[in-house]
Amino acid sequence: MSTHAADPLAALAALPGVPDAVDSVRKAVDRVYGHRVMRRRSNEISSEAALRGARGSAALSGADWALEEVRRRTDFSADAEARTVGAALRLGVEVGQLLSIWRQSPLRVLARLHLVAAGDAADSVGRPRQGGETVDEPLIEAPLPDAAEVAARLDGLAELIVAGTSAPALVTASVVHGELLALRPFTSYSGLVARAAERLVLVGSGLDPKAICPAEVGHAELGRAAYVAALDGYLSGTPEGMARWIAHCGRAVELGVRETTAVCEALQRGAA
């Protein structure tokens, strides 16, 4: 996206429909944070949200496992699907360790996220892809920017993050997510990294400081077709398309909140 305006993210926040999406997300998040179970079991709820978020993110990358299978499994090296689920789980844990670095060095964080997801020391791991390198990214079939464009746009995205913005967390998180999907900056797992970065922004911004609102759950529930269709809006660069993508991400957060609310209710019943 263009970085010519003084605060382009704030400009996106004013697009038709976006203020309503932002308001709806804020109200949903506030409601779940006010749940009585959160006062005494927030760590447990955060852990469950991370697990369910990882399952949702992996599903969007082609490894659609049942939650209980993710919970039960200990070996995530058997095949490509297992490795995808394992990568998503590792990212869910790693995000919380990187919050303090993100605002100062977002590219360093993205490189670390890819290193964690890939789980190996191949030459292509932990850095943006170079010219001629192939990209393995299930689901996203949009034209692939070349390595020079990837580098330039990553630098632009980093500048936006470091400069700061008055835009709501939902807008910033949606743009980070959309831009990384558009670029697919790594040779593998770019989708997982994009969704982990979205979560990182939502948590680090203070909207979801305890990481209990897994947007990945909502993205998976809305479905792969809707995800791709909404991303097409982002890729178009039009105000309508950008607003559609941000609203889609907002709905995903709300569905993540609904999932966590159900977890809270189940814990409350168990304690009764």
Side-chain angles (χ1 to χ4, degrees):
M1 63 171 294
S2 172
T3 61
H4 296 310
D7 189 349
L9 297 178
L12 293 177
L15 291 174
V18 172
D20 289 341
V22 168
D23 185 56
S24 184
V25 165
R26 166 52 70 187
K27 288 177 178 175
V29 172
D30 285 348
R31 281 195 299 272
V32 74
Y33 269 84
H35 198 287
R36 59 186 297 182
V37 172
M38 279 295 296
R39 290 197 294 271
R40 60 187 185 278
R41 302 182 75 170
S42 63
N43 288 342
E44 189 176 346
I45 294 165
S46 296
S47 296
E48 186 65 17
L51 180 73
R52 293 177 184 230
R55 193 218 73 82
S57 190
L60 286 169
S61 286
D64 192 359
W65 288 15
L67 181 63
E68 290 312 311
E69 175 67 9
V70 177
R71 201 187 302 279
R72 179 190 68 79
R73 187 73 73 95
T74 56
D75 179 11
F76 294 98
S77 62
D79 53 39
E81 283 197 9
R83 288 191 292 274
T84 295
V85 175
L89 288 167
R90 291 192 298 274
L91 286 173
V93 173
E94 189 71 12
V95 162
Q97 315 302 315
L98 299 172
L99 294 169
S100 63
I101 307 171
W102 173 252
R103 281 293 302 276
Q104 286 74 43
S105 187
L107 297 185
R108 179 179 159 201
V109 168
L110 293 175
R112 173 63 186 171
L113 289 174
H114 185 242
L115 185 66
V116 168
D120 63 47
D123 178 61
S124 61
V125 169
R127 61 156 174 79
R129 56 186 169 83
Q130 298 174 355
E133 290 182 326
T134 59
V135 173
D136 177 15
E137 186 50 53
L139 181 62
I140 308 301
E141 297 179 352
L144 197 66
D146 65 27
E149 182 179 349
V150 168
R153 287 173 62 175
L154 282 177
D155 284 344
L157 183 64
E159 288 170 12
L160 286 177
I161 300 302
V162 172
T165 177
S166 62
L170 173 65
V171 173
T172 305
S174 300
V175 168
V176 169
H177 184 177
E179 191 71 355
L180 293 175
L181 286 180
L183 296 178
R184 283 143 288 163
F186 304 109
T187 56
S188 61
Y189 299 122
S190 288
L192 293 181
V193 169
R195 291 183 288 276
E198 178 187 47
R199 172 181 279 241
L200 192 155
V201 174
L202 293 171
V203 173
S205 68
L207 176 67
D208 179 23
K210 294 183 183 296
I212 63 167
C213 305
E216 307 98 317
V217 167
H219 286 301
E221 186 172 336
L222 290 166
R224 297 175 74 175
Y227 187 66
V228 171
L231 178 64
D232 284 344
Y234 181 89
L235 296 173
S236 75
T238 65
E240 298 80 9
M242 297 293 286
R244 189 163 67 249
W245 170 248
I246 294 167
H248 182 87
C249 291
R251 181 61 181 149
V253 175
E254 291 184 67
L255 290 171
V257 168
R258 187 176 73 178
E259 182 94 350
T260 293
T261 301
V263 171
C264 290
E265 294 293 333
L267 289 173
Q268 184 168 295
R269 287 193 300 273

